[in-house]
Amino acid sequence: MPADRTLDRLRAAADVVRTAGEHDTVAGVPARYVAAPRDTGQAAALLRAAAALDLAVAFRGGGTKQDWGSPPRRLDLILDTTALTGVVEHAAGDLITVVRAGTRLDELPATLAGAGQQLALDAPLPGGTVGGAVATNTSGPRRMLYGTVRDLLIGVTLVRADGVVAHAGGKVVKNVAGYDLGKLVTGAYGTLGLITECAFRLHPLPATVAYVSRAVDDLAEAGRLAGTVRAAQLVPTALEVDAPAGGPATVTVLLEGTPAGVTARAAAARRLLGADATAADQPPDGWARCPWRDGDVGLKLTAALSGVPRLLSEARAAADRQNLPLALRGSAGVGVLYAGLPGASDPERVAGLVDALRATTAAVGGHTVVLTAPAPVRDRVDLWGPVHGLELMRRVKQRFDPDARLAPGRFVGGI
């Protein structure tokens, strides 16, 4: 068998490279090689080698969102971050932690709890990593009080396409090239560089929590109840609606604070939601999780707060017209909902539903994005829809990755 000179040159940069296997794919596109760097230095050496070899590179953490976004136009090397794990620093007195990008989100609570602190990010998919949450700008129910991943991220270490390491934010005073690097790479799907470390703002763990819920048969009523809670002085941590296909809709309010304060606010929440409302100290089933399974169609729907009731009602009505079982779940408190459809759904019907949802979300000040879908649906619909500022995004991409080798075509507009 002839020698693989590309593999040899990659291994010369860092001996953590192997030939890709059948499961080493990104949105169905197979890779040729996989590398698992153990530190930022190895990652930088591998990206320098990939640049010299003109290899197209994509990044992978827990692998939970490899089918999100568009398939890459070409793919040679997957940089796997699962060896880039652990807490680099936990400055408890400053409420700051620095974490390597391959660290699983669900491992951090136990690490930080000893200091009575938390990183207020929810993991919508089991096994998701810190770097993946930043790369896809994924935030869960608690964003209502604590903010999104973009708000909590205060510093980042990034390896550029040419292998140059850039640091920004956190304890580093000087930013890079005038960019707010953390905000740029958040939600960029790995098209601007490899995130190897993240610095986050932490919050104290609450002394007491309460989940106050009420189930209703009508999505319009669920939207009305959510609006009632928003208008009150409850200061909820989260305000969620969960409406599985064919079932009732449940409105849940998460309250945090002192025992006495939470008890009083939970009683007020029950009065607002109605006599059937219940309170518990554990989240309901499906809390913070995406309302779809692997291989299904997953969408993100946004709206101005005043438009949430309309979006809930019209989304379900549009799905009924297409005879599609649409599950809805998300943050009615901030106007971000997620929707799921079975992966075997007819692509033409899904396309009709996406068109209707885009019309509705546009009317209520939001957008519809198809986050993940099987190939027949991906081939039929525009995953991203209309996007403002696309030319600016392309100029940023050109500055960071002039040869378009990082996840080429994965992001909006073919970026």
PDB file of all heavy atoms in Angstrom, residues 137-141 143-144 148 230 239-242 291-292 299-305 307-308 311-312 328-339 361 365-367 371:
ATOM      1  N   ASN A 137     -24.117  28.864  19.489  1.00  0.00           N
ATOM      2  CA  ASN A 137     -24.876  29.872  20.236  1.00  0.00           C
ATOM      3  C   ASN A 137     -26.132  29.247  20.853  1.00  0.00           C
ATOM      4  O   ASN A 137     -27.246  29.737  20.689  1.00  0.00           O
ATOM      5  CB  ASN A 137     -25.260  31.052  19.337  1.00  0.00           C
ATOM      6  CG  ASN A 137     -25.810  32.226  20.123  1.00  0.00           C
ATOM      7  OD1 ASN A 137     -25.515  32.378  21.309  1.00  0.00           O
ATOM      8  ND2 ASN A 137     -26.613  33.053  19.481  1.00  0.00           N
ATOM      9  N   THR A 138     -25.925  28.157  21.580  1.00  0.00           N
ATOM     10  CA  THR A 138     -27.034  27.417  22.164  1.00  0.00           C
ATOM     11  C   THR A 138     -27.239  27.832  23.615  1.00  0.00           C
ATOM     12  O   THR A 138     -26.329  27.703  24.430  1.00  0.00           O
ATOM     13  CB  THR A 138     -26.763  25.905  22.104  1.00  0.00           C
ATOM     14  OG1 THR A 138     -26.465  25.539  20.759  1.00  0.00           O
ATOM     15  CG2 THR A 138     -27.977  25.128  22.571  1.00  0.00           C
ATOM     16  N   SER A 139     -28.420  28.309  23.929  1.00  0.00           N
ATOM     17  CA  SER A 139     -28.765  28.694  25.292  1.00  0.00           C
ATOM     18  C   SER A 139     -30.130  28.114  25.632  1.00  0.00           C
ATOM     19  O   SER A 139     -30.978  27.943  24.756  1.00  0.00           O
ATOM     20  CB  SER A 139     -28.799  30.217  25.442  1.00  0.00           C
ATOM     21  OG  SER A 139     -27.551  30.800  25.085  1.00  0.00           O
ATOM     22  N   GLY A 140     -30.328  27.816  26.917  1.00  0.00           N
ATOM     23  CA  GLY A 140     -31.559  27.156  27.323  1.00  0.00           C
ATOM     24  C   GLY A 140     -32.492  28.041  28.129  1.00  0.00           C
ATOM     25  O   GLY A 140     -32.426  29.280  28.053  1.00  0.00           O
ATOM     26  N   PRO A 141     -33.360  27.431  28.929  1.00  0.00           N
ATOM     27  CA  PRO A 141     -34.402  28.185  29.625  1.00  0.00           C
ATOM     28  C   PRO A 141     -33.885  29.314  30.509  1.00  0.00           C
ATOM     29  O   PRO A 141     -34.498  30.386  30.596  1.00  0.00           O
ATOM     30  CB  PRO A 141     -35.100  27.110  30.466  1.00  0.00           C
ATOM     31  CG  PRO A 141     -34.876  25.839  29.722  1.00  0.00           C
ATOM     32  CD  PRO A 141     -33.517  25.973  29.123  1.00  0.00           C
ATOM     33  N   ARG A 143     -31.671  31.407  30.250  1.00  0.00           N
ATOM     34  CA  ARG A 143     -31.208  32.628  29.579  1.00  0.00           C
ATOM     35  C   ARG A 143     -32.078  33.829  29.960  1.00  0.00           C
ATOM     36  O   ARG A 143     -31.630  34.971  29.877  1.00  0.00           O
ATOM     37  CB  ARG A 143     -31.235  32.425  28.067  1.00  0.00           C
ATOM     38  CG  ARG A 143     -32.631  32.240  27.483  1.00  0.00           C
ATOM     39  CD  ARG A 143     -32.622  31.897  26.005  1.00  0.00           C
ATOM     40  NE  ARG A 143     -32.184  33.028  25.207  1.00  0.00           N
ATOM     41  CZ  ARG A 143     -31.891  32.949  23.913  1.00  0.00           C
ATOM     42  NH1 ARG A 143     -31.968  31.787  23.278  1.00  0.00           N
ATOM     43  NH2 ARG A 143     -31.509  34.008  23.254  1.00  0.00           N
ATOM     44  N   MET A 144     -33.318  33.565  30.368  1.00  0.00           N
ATOM     45  CA  MET A 144     -34.214  34.672  30.700  1.00  0.00           C
ATOM     46  C   MET A 144     -33.632  35.537  31.815  1.00  0.00           C
ATOM     47  O   MET A 144     -33.727  36.773  31.775  1.00  0.00           O
ATOM     48  CB  MET A 144     -35.583  34.126  31.097  1.00  0.00           C
ATOM     49  CG  MET A 144     -36.613  35.211  31.369  1.00  0.00           C
ATOM     50  SD  MET A 144     -38.222  34.480  31.737  1.00  0.00           S
ATOM     51  CE  MET A 144     -39.209  35.967  31.912  1.00  0.00           C
ATOM     52  N   THR A 148     -27.623  34.806  27.569  1.00  0.00           N
ATOM     53  CA  THR A 148     -27.252  33.743  26.633  1.00  0.00           C
ATOM     54  C   THR A 148     -25.784  33.372  26.815  1.00  0.00           C
ATOM     55  O   THR A 148     -25.043  34.013  27.562  1.00  0.00           O
ATOM     56  CB  THR A 148     -27.474  34.205  25.193  1.00  0.00           C
ATOM     57  OG1 THR A 148     -26.551  35.280  24.911  1.00  0.00           O
ATOM     58  CG2 THR A 148     -28.902  34.699  24.980  1.00  0.00           C
ATOM     59  N   ARG A 230     -45.120  37.157  32.541  1.00  0.00           N
ATOM     60  CA  ARG A 230     -44.119  38.169  32.175  1.00  0.00           C
ATOM     61  C   ARG A 230     -44.490  39.537  32.723  1.00  0.00           C
ATOM     62  O   ARG A 230     -43.622  40.329  33.102  1.00  0.00           O
ATOM     63  CB  ARG A 230     -43.971  38.256  30.652  1.00  0.00           C
ATOM     64  CG  ARG A 230     -43.183  37.138  30.020  1.00  0.00           C
ATOM     65  CD  ARG A 230     -42.704  37.527  28.628  1.00  0.00           C
ATOM     66  NE  ARG A 230     -43.776  38.088  27.818  1.00  0.00           N
ATOM     67  CZ  ARG A 230     -44.575  37.390  27.031  1.00  0.00           C
ATOM     68  NH1 ARG A 230     -44.425  36.080  26.951  1.00  0.00           N
ATOM     69  NH2 ARG A 230     -45.518  37.974  26.325  1.00  0.00           N
ATOM     70  N   LEU A 239     -39.204  30.913  31.895  1.00  0.00           N
ATOM     71  CA  LEU A 239     -40.632  30.806  31.616  1.00  0.00           C
ATOM     72  C   LEU A 239     -40.776  30.009  30.335  1.00  0.00           C
ATOM     73  O   LEU A 239     -40.472  30.504  29.248  1.00  0.00           O
ATOM     74  CB  LEU A 239     -41.259  32.192  31.474  1.00  0.00           C
ATOM     75  CG  LEU A 239     -42.715  32.255  31.011  1.00  0.00           C
ATOM     76  CD1 LEU A 239     -43.625  31.458  31.938  1.00  0.00           C
ATOM     77  CD2 LEU A 239     -43.177  33.714  30.906  1.00  0.00           C
ATOM     78  N   GLU A 240     -41.191  28.746  30.466  1.00  0.00           N
ATOM     79  CA  GLU A 240     -41.174  27.793  29.359  1.00  0.00           C
ATOM     80  C   GLU A 240     -42.573  27.324  28.969  1.00  0.00           C
ATOM     81  O   GLU A 240     -43.472  27.272  29.803  1.00  0.00           O
ATOM     82  CB  GLU A 240     -40.338  26.567  29.737  1.00  0.00           C
ATOM     83  CG  GLU A 240     -38.876  26.855  29.968  1.00  0.00           C
ATOM     84  CD  GLU A 240     -38.127  27.092  28.676  1.00  0.00           C
ATOM     85  OE1 GLU A 240     -38.001  26.150  27.869  1.00  0.00           O
ATOM     86  OE2 GLU A 240     -37.661  28.238  28.464  1.00  0.00           O
ATOM     87  N   VAL A 241     -42.698  26.987  27.688  1.00  0.00           N
ATOM     88  CA  VAL A 241     -43.898  26.328  27.177  1.00  0.00           C
ATOM     89  C   VAL A 241     -43.466  25.022  26.532  1.00  0.00           C
ATOM     90  O   VAL A 241     -42.501  24.991  25.763  1.00  0.00           O
ATOM     91  CB  VAL A 241     -44.639  27.204  26.156  1.00  0.00           C
ATOM     92  CG1 VAL A 241     -45.764  26.420  25.490  1.00  0.00           C
ATOM     93  CG2 VAL A 241     -45.211  28.445  26.827  1.00  0.00           C
ATOM     94  N   ASP A 242     -44.163  23.950  26.848  1.00  0.00           N
ATOM     95  CA  ASP A 242     -43.880  22.644  26.253  1.00  0.00           C
ATOM     96  C   ASP A 242     -45.181  22.092  25.695  1.00  0.00           C
ATOM     97  O   ASP A 242     -46.134  21.848  26.440  1.00  0.00           O
ATOM     98  CB  ASP A 242     -43.297  21.703  27.306  1.00  0.00           C
ATOM     99  CG  ASP A 242     -42.883  20.357  26.718  1.00  0.00           C
ATOM    100  OD1 ASP A 242     -42.816  20.233  25.482  1.00  0.00           O
ATOM    101  OD2 ASP A 242     -42.630  19.426  27.506  1.00  0.00           O
ATOM    102  N   PRO A 291     -36.947  19.427  21.369  1.00  0.00           N
ATOM    103  CA  PRO A 291     -38.130  18.573  21.198  1.00  0.00           C
ATOM    104  C   PRO A 291     -38.044  17.684  19.950  1.00  0.00           C
ATOM    105  O   PRO A 291     -39.020  17.533  19.217  1.00  0.00           O
ATOM    106  CB  PRO A 291     -39.268  19.593  21.074  1.00  0.00           C
ATOM    107  CG  PRO A 291     -38.632  20.759  20.393  1.00  0.00           C
ATOM    108  CD  PRO A 291     -37.212  20.811  20.922  1.00  0.00           C
ATOM    109  N   TRP A 292     -36.873  17.113  19.712  1.00  0.00           N
ATOM    110  CA  TRP A 292     -36.712  16.184  18.599  1.00  0.00           C
ATOM    111  C   TRP A 292     -35.640  15.163  18.959  1.00  0.00           C
ATOM    112  O   TRP A 292     -34.864  15.342  19.891  1.00  0.00           O
ATOM    113  CB  TRP A 292     -36.363  16.916  17.304  1.00  0.00           C
ATOM    114  CG  TRP A 292     -35.069  17.689  17.346  1.00  0.00           C
ATOM    115  CD1 TRP A 292     -33.789  17.195  17.209  1.00  0.00           C
ATOM    116  CD2 TRP A 292     -34.916  19.100  17.503  1.00  0.00           C
ATOM    117  NE1 TRP A 292     -32.865  18.202  17.296  1.00  0.00           N
ATOM    118  CE2 TRP A 292     -33.529  19.388  17.471  1.00  0.00           C
ATOM    119  CE3 TRP A 292     -35.827  20.156  17.672  1.00  0.00           C
ATOM    120  CZ2 TRP A 292     -33.036  20.683  17.597  1.00  0.00           C
ATOM    121  CZ3 TRP A 292     -35.324  21.446  17.800  1.00  0.00           C
ATOM    122  CH2 TRP A 292     -33.949  21.701  17.753  1.00  0.00           C
ATOM    123  N   LEU A 299     -36.201  22.849  14.340  1.00  0.00           N
ATOM    124  CA  LEU A 299     -36.270  24.253  13.924  1.00  0.00           C
ATOM    125  C   LEU A 299     -36.153  25.171  15.130  1.00  0.00           C
ATOM    126  O   LEU A 299     -36.513  24.800  16.249  1.00  0.00           O
ATOM    127  CB  LEU A 299     -37.591  24.547  13.203  1.00  0.00           C
ATOM    128  CG  LEU A 299     -37.959  23.694  11.988  1.00  0.00           C
ATOM    129  CD1 LEU A 299     -38.922  22.590  12.406  1.00  0.00           C
ATOM    130  CD2 LEU A 299     -38.580  24.544  10.893  1.00  0.00           C
ATOM    131  N   LYS A 300     -35.677  26.373  14.872  1.00  0.00           N
ATOM    132  CA  LYS A 300     -35.651  27.430  15.880  1.00  0.00           C
ATOM    133  C   LYS A 300     -36.531  28.568  15.391  1.00  0.00           C
ATOM    134  O   LYS A 300     -36.357  29.071  14.271  1.00  0.00           O
ATOM    135  CB  LYS A 300     -34.211  27.928  16.088  1.00  0.00           C
ATOM    136  CG  LYS A 300     -34.086  29.031  17.135  1.00  0.00           C
ATOM    137  CD  LYS A 300     -32.622  29.433  17.299  1.00  0.00           C
ATOM    138  CE  LYS A 300     -32.450  30.514  18.359  1.00  0.00           C
ATOM    139  NZ  LYS A 300     -31.019  30.882  18.545  1.00  0.00           N
ATOM    140  N   LEU A 301     -37.475  28.970  16.247  1.00  0.00           N
ATOM    141  CA  LEU A 301     -38.429  30.024  15.910  1.00  0.00           C
ATOM    142  C   LEU A 301     -38.271  31.156  16.920  1.00  0.00           C
ATOM    143  O   LEU A 301     -38.263  30.909  18.121  1.00  0.00           O
ATOM    144  CB  LEU A 301     -39.865  29.497  15.966  1.00  0.00           C
ATOM    145  CG  LEU A 301     -40.147  28.119  15.346  1.00  0.00           C
ATOM    146  CD1 LEU A 301     -41.593  27.707  15.619  1.00  0.00           C
ATOM    147  CD2 LEU A 301     -39.860  28.125  13.864  1.00  0.00           C
ATOM    148  N   THR A 302     -38.166  32.373  16.432  1.00  0.00           N
ATOM    149  CA  THR A 302     -38.049  33.507  17.348  1.00  0.00           C
ATOM    150  C   THR A 302     -39.144  34.526  17.065  1.00  0.00           C
ATOM    151  O   THR A 302     -39.695  34.587  15.968  1.00  0.00           O
ATOM    152  CB  THR A 302     -36.675  34.188  17.221  1.00  0.00           C
ATOM    153  OG1 THR A 302     -36.490  34.665  15.878  1.00  0.00           O
ATOM    154  CG2 THR A 302     -35.552  33.217  17.557  1.00  0.00           C
ATOM    155  N   ALA A 303     -39.437  35.321  18.105  1.00  0.00           N
ATOM    156  CA  ALA A 303     -40.490  36.325  17.998  1.00  0.00           C
ATOM    157  C   ALA A 303     -40.253  37.396  19.045  1.00  0.00           C
ATOM    158  O   ALA A 303     -39.619  37.148  20.078  1.00  0.00           O
ATOM    159  CB  ALA A 303     -41.871  35.699  18.217  1.00  0.00           C
ATOM    160  N   ALA A 304     -40.742  38.590  18.782  1.00  0.00           N
ATOM    161  CA  ALA A 304     -40.830  39.590  19.841  1.00  0.00           C
ATOM    162  C   ALA A 304     -41.761  39.053  20.922  1.00  0.00           C
ATOM    163  O   ALA A 304     -42.661  38.248  20.648  1.00  0.00           O
ATOM    164  CB  ALA A 304     -41.367  40.906  19.290  1.00  0.00           C
ATOM    165  N   LEU A 305     -41.551  39.482  22.168  1.00  0.00           N
ATOM    166  CA  LEU A 305     -42.332  38.914  23.266  1.00  0.00           C
ATOM    167  C   LEU A 305     -43.831  39.044  23.044  1.00  0.00           C
ATOM    168  O   LEU A 305     -44.598  38.130  23.348  1.00  0.00           O
ATOM    169  CB  LEU A 305     -41.932  39.581  24.576  1.00  0.00           C
ATOM    170  CG  LEU A 305     -40.535  39.221  25.099  1.00  0.00           C
ATOM    171  CD1 LEU A 305     -40.247  39.984  26.380  1.00  0.00           C
ATOM    172  CD2 LEU A 305     -40.420  37.723  25.333  1.00  0.00           C
ATOM    173  N   GLY A 307     -45.357  38.833  20.407  1.00  0.00           N
ATOM    174  CA  GLY A 307     -45.801  37.936  19.346  1.00  0.00           C
ATOM    175  C   GLY A 307     -45.779  36.469  19.696  1.00  0.00           C
ATOM    176  O   GLY A 307     -46.163  35.627  18.875  1.00  0.00           O
ATOM    177  N   VAL A 308     -45.339  36.118  20.921  1.00  0.00           N
ATOM    178  CA  VAL A 308     -45.232  34.709  21.295  1.00  0.00           C
ATOM    179  C   VAL A 308     -46.580  33.997  21.254  1.00  0.00           C
ATOM    180  O   VAL A 308     -46.677  32.886  20.691  1.00  0.00           O
ATOM    181  CB  VAL A 308     -44.562  34.564  22.678  1.00  0.00           C
ATOM    182  CG1 VAL A 308     -44.687  33.135  23.196  1.00  0.00           C
ATOM    183  CG2 VAL A 308     -43.091  34.960  22.583  1.00  0.00           C
ATOM    184  N   LEU A 311     -47.392  33.297  17.656  1.00  0.00           N
ATOM    185  CA  LEU A 311     -46.497  32.300  17.073  1.00  0.00           C
ATOM    186  C   LEU A 311     -46.880  30.895  17.518  1.00  0.00           C
ATOM    187  O   LEU A 311     -46.927  29.962  16.698  1.00  0.00           O
ATOM    188  CB  LEU A 311     -45.047  32.607  17.461  1.00  0.00           C
ATOM    189  CG  LEU A 311     -43.994  31.587  17.030  1.00  0.00           C
ATOM    190  CD1 LEU A 311     -44.027  31.372  15.517  1.00  0.00           C
ATOM    191  CD2 LEU A 311     -42.602  32.028  17.469  1.00  0.00           C
ATOM    192  N   LEU A 312     -47.183  30.717  18.790  1.00  0.00           N
ATOM    193  CA  LEU A 312     -47.579  29.401  19.274  1.00  0.00           C
ATOM    194  C   LEU A 312     -48.820  28.894  18.541  1.00  0.00           C
ATOM    195  O   LEU A 312     -48.858  27.749  18.060  1.00  0.00           O
ATOM    196  CB  LEU A 312     -47.854  29.468  20.774  1.00  0.00           C
ATOM    197  CG  LEU A 312     -46.641  29.552  21.701  1.00  0.00           C
ATOM    198  CD1 LEU A 312     -47.076  29.936  23.112  1.00  0.00           C
ATOM    199  CD2 LEU A 312     -45.884  28.233  21.718  1.00  0.00           C
ATOM    200  N   LEU A 328     -43.612  21.581  20.029  1.00  0.00           N
ATOM    201  CA  LEU A 328     -43.069  22.904  20.334  1.00  0.00           C
ATOM    202  C   LEU A 328     -42.582  22.933  21.779  1.00  0.00           C
ATOM    203  O   LEU A 328     -43.229  22.394  22.671  1.00  0.00           O
ATOM    204  CB  LEU A 328     -44.137  23.987  20.146  1.00  0.00           C
ATOM    205  CG  LEU A 328     -44.564  24.301  18.716  1.00  0.00           C
ATOM    206  CD1 LEU A 328     -45.883  25.054  18.715  1.00  0.00           C
ATOM    207  CD2 LEU A 328     -43.490  25.116  18.011  1.00  0.00           C
ATOM    208  N   ARG A 329     -41.430  23.549  21.973  1.00  0.00           N
ATOM    209  CA  ARG A 329     -40.905  23.697  23.333  1.00  0.00           C
ATOM    210  C   ARG A 329     -39.944  24.880  23.330  1.00  0.00           C
ATOM    211  O   ARG A 329     -39.186  25.055  22.382  1.00  0.00           O
ATOM    212  CB  ARG A 329     -40.176  22.431  23.772  1.00  0.00           C
ATOM    213  CG  ARG A 329     -39.594  22.495  25.180  1.00  0.00           C
ATOM    214  CD  ARG A 329     -38.832  21.218  25.499  1.00  0.00           C
ATOM    215  NE  ARG A 329     -39.733  20.067  25.570  1.00  0.00           N
ATOM    216  CZ  ARG A 329     -39.345  18.804  25.375  1.00  0.00           C
ATOM    217  NH1 ARG A 329     -38.085  18.544  25.099  1.00  0.00           N
ATOM    218  NH2 ARG A 329     -40.219  17.820  25.456  1.00  0.00           N
ATOM    219  N   GLY A 330     -39.963  25.679  24.376  1.00  0.00           N
ATOM    220  CA  GLY A 330     -38.991  26.760  24.406  1.00  0.00           C
ATOM    221  C   GLY A 330     -39.327  27.854  25.386  1.00  0.00           C
ATOM    222  O   GLY A 330     -40.221  27.730  26.235  1.00  0.00           O
ATOM    223  N   SER A 331     -38.568  28.925  25.239  1.00  0.00           N
ATOM    224  CA  SER A 331     -38.558  30.010  26.217  1.00  0.00           C
ATOM    225  C   SER A 331     -39.545  31.102  25.824  1.00  0.00           C
ATOM    226  O   SER A 331     -39.198  32.049  25.105  1.00  0.00           O
ATOM    227  CB  SER A 331     -37.140  30.577  26.337  1.00  0.00           C
ATOM    228  OG  SER A 331     -36.242  29.570  26.752  1.00  0.00           O
ATOM    229  N   ALA A 332     -40.770  30.959  26.320  1.00  0.00           N
ATOM    230  CA  ALA A 332     -41.767  31.991  26.058  1.00  0.00           C
ATOM    231  C   ALA A 332     -41.378  33.301  26.722  1.00  0.00           C
ATOM    232  O   ALA A 332     -41.853  34.368  26.335  1.00  0.00           O
ATOM    233  CB  ALA A 332     -43.131  31.533  26.575  1.00  0.00           C
ATOM    234  N   GLY A 333     -40.509  33.226  27.705  1.00  0.00           N
ATOM    235  CA  GLY A 333     -40.080  34.434  28.402  1.00  0.00           C
ATOM    236  C   GLY A 333     -39.115  35.297  27.625  1.00  0.00           C
ATOM    237  O   GLY A 333     -38.919  36.469  27.961  1.00  0.00           O
ATOM    238  N   VAL A 334     -38.487  34.750  26.579  1.00  0.00           N
ATOM    239  CA  VAL A 334     -37.566  35.543  25.758  1.00  0.00           C
ATOM    240  C   VAL A 334     -37.901  35.475  24.270  1.00  0.00           C
ATOM    241  O   VAL A 334     -37.213  36.083  23.450  1.00  0.00           O
ATOM    242  CB  VAL A 334     -36.097  35.111  25.982  1.00  0.00           C
ATOM    243  CG1 VAL A 334     -35.660  35.397  27.398  1.00  0.00           C
ATOM    244  CG2 VAL A 334     -35.881  33.644  25.635  1.00  0.00           C
ATOM    245  N   GLY A 335     -38.936  34.727  23.913  1.00  0.00           N
ATOM    246  CA  GLY A 335     -39.348  34.665  22.518  1.00  0.00           C
ATOM    247  C   GLY A 335     -38.505  33.747  21.659  1.00  0.00           C
ATOM    248  O   GLY A 335     -38.308  34.013  20.468  1.00  0.00           O
ATOM    249  N   VAL A 336     -38.006  32.651  22.232  1.00  0.00           N
ATOM    250  CA  VAL A 336     -37.219  31.670  21.473  1.00  0.00           C
ATOM    251  C   VAL A 336     -37.851  30.296  21.678  1.00  0.00           C
ATOM    252  O   VAL A 336     -37.875  29.774  22.795  1.00  0.00           O
ATOM    253  CB  VAL A 336     -35.748  31.637  21.917  1.00  0.00           C
ATOM    254  CG1 VAL A 336     -34.983  30.576  21.132  1.00  0.00           C
ATOM    255  CG2 VAL A 336     -35.099  33.003  21.728  1.00  0.00           C
ATOM    256  N   LEU A 337     -38.381  29.720  20.608  1.00  0.00           N
ATOM    257  CA  LEU A 337     -39.022  28.411  20.660  1.00  0.00           C
ATOM    258  C   LEU A 337     -38.288  27.446  19.738  1.00  0.00           C
ATOM    259  O   LEU A 337     -37.664  27.850  18.753  1.00  0.00           O
ATOM    260  CB  LEU A 337     -40.484  28.511  20.220  1.00  0.00           C
ATOM    261  CG  LEU A 337     -41.380  29.489  20.980  1.00  0.00           C
ATOM    262  CD1 LEU A 337     -42.756  29.544  20.329  1.00  0.00           C
ATOM    263  CD2 LEU A 337     -41.498  29.094  22.444  1.00  0.00           C
ATOM    264  N   TYR A 338     -38.401  26.154  20.074  1.00  0.00           N
ATOM    265  CA  TYR A 338     -37.853  25.106  19.221  1.00  0.00           C
ATOM    266  C   TYR A 338     -38.984  24.189  18.801  1.00  0.00           C
ATOM    267  O   TYR A 338     -39.932  23.955  19.572  1.00  0.00           O
ATOM    268  CB  TYR A 338     -36.756  24.342  19.947  1.00  0.00           C
ATOM    269  CG  TYR A 338     -35.556  25.210  20.249  1.00  0.00           C
ATOM    270  CD1 TYR A 338     -35.467  25.909  21.450  1.00  0.00           C
ATOM    271  CD2 TYR A 338     -34.540  25.361  19.321  1.00  0.00           C
ATOM    272  CE1 TYR A 338     -34.385  26.733  21.716  1.00  0.00           C
ATOM    273  CE2 TYR A 338     -33.446  26.179  19.578  1.00  0.00           C
ATOM    274  CZ  TYR A 338     -33.376  26.867  20.776  1.00  0.00           C
ATOM    275  OH  TYR A 338     -32.310  27.692  21.019  1.00  0.00           O
ATOM    276  N   ALA A 339     -38.885  23.665  17.594  1.00  0.00           N
ATOM    277  CA  ALA A 339     -39.941  22.827  17.052  1.00  0.00           C
ATOM    278  C   ALA A 339     -39.335  21.585  16.433  1.00  0.00           C
ATOM    279  O   ALA A 339     -38.258  21.637  15.827  1.00  0.00           O
ATOM    280  CB  ALA A 339     -40.749  23.599  15.992  1.00  0.00           C
ATOM    281  N   THR A 361     -43.172  34.173  11.686  1.00  0.00           N
ATOM    282  CA  THR A 361     -42.106  34.754  12.505  1.00  0.00           C
ATOM    283  C   THR A 361     -41.694  36.131  11.998  1.00  0.00           C
ATOM    284  O   THR A 361     -41.388  37.029  12.801  1.00  0.00           O
ATOM    285  CB  THR A 361     -40.883  33.823  12.585  1.00  0.00           C
ATOM    286  OG1 THR A 361     -40.465  33.441  11.261  1.00  0.00           O
ATOM    287  CG2 THR A 361     -41.199  32.585  13.403  1.00  0.00           C
ATOM    288  N   GLY A 365     -41.729  39.785  14.250  1.00  0.00           N
ATOM    289  CA  GLY A 365     -40.405  40.316  14.552  1.00  0.00           C
ATOM    290  C   GLY A 365     -39.330  39.285  14.792  1.00  0.00           C
ATOM    291  O   GLY A 365     -38.365  39.547  15.512  1.00  0.00           O
ATOM    292  N   GLY A 366     -39.464  38.099  14.178  1.00  0.00           N
ATOM    293  CA  GLY A 366     -38.473  37.054  14.403  1.00  0.00           C
ATOM    294  C   GLY A 366     -38.051  36.345  13.139  1.00  0.00           C
ATOM    295  O   GLY A 366     -38.216  36.866  12.024  1.00  0.00           O
ATOM    296  N   HIS A 367     -37.512  35.147  13.304  1.00  0.00           N
ATOM    297  CA  HIS A 367     -36.982  34.367  12.185  1.00  0.00           C
ATOM    298  C   HIS A 367     -37.272  32.890  12.411  1.00  0.00           C
ATOM    299  O   HIS A 367     -37.538  32.455  13.535  1.00  0.00           O
ATOM    300  CB  HIS A 367     -35.461  34.552  12.054  1.00  0.00           C
ATOM    301  CG  HIS A 367     -35.033  35.973  11.889  1.00  0.00           C
ATOM    302  ND1 HIS A 367     -35.024  36.598  10.664  1.00  0.00           N
ATOM    303  CD2 HIS A 367     -34.608  36.877  12.789  1.00  0.00           C
ATOM    304  CE1 HIS A 367     -34.601  37.845  10.810  1.00  0.00           C
ATOM    305  NE2 HIS A 367     -34.346  38.042  12.099  1.00  0.00           N
ATOM    306  N   LEU A 371     -32.507  24.018  11.984  1.00  0.00           N
ATOM    307  CA  LEU A 371     -31.220  23.691  12.599  1.00  0.00           C
ATOM    308  C   LEU A 371     -30.672  22.370  12.102  1.00  0.00           C
ATOM    309  O   LEU A 371     -29.470  22.246  11.829  1.00  0.00           O
ATOM    310  CB  LEU A 371     -31.371  23.640  14.126  1.00  0.00           C
ATOM    311  CG  LEU A 371     -31.700  24.959  14.820  1.00  0.00           C
ATOM    312  CD1 LEU A 371     -31.924  24.718  16.313  1.00  0.00           C
ATOM    313  CD2 LEU A 371     -30.584  25.975  14.615  1.00  0.00           C
TER     314      LEU A 371
END
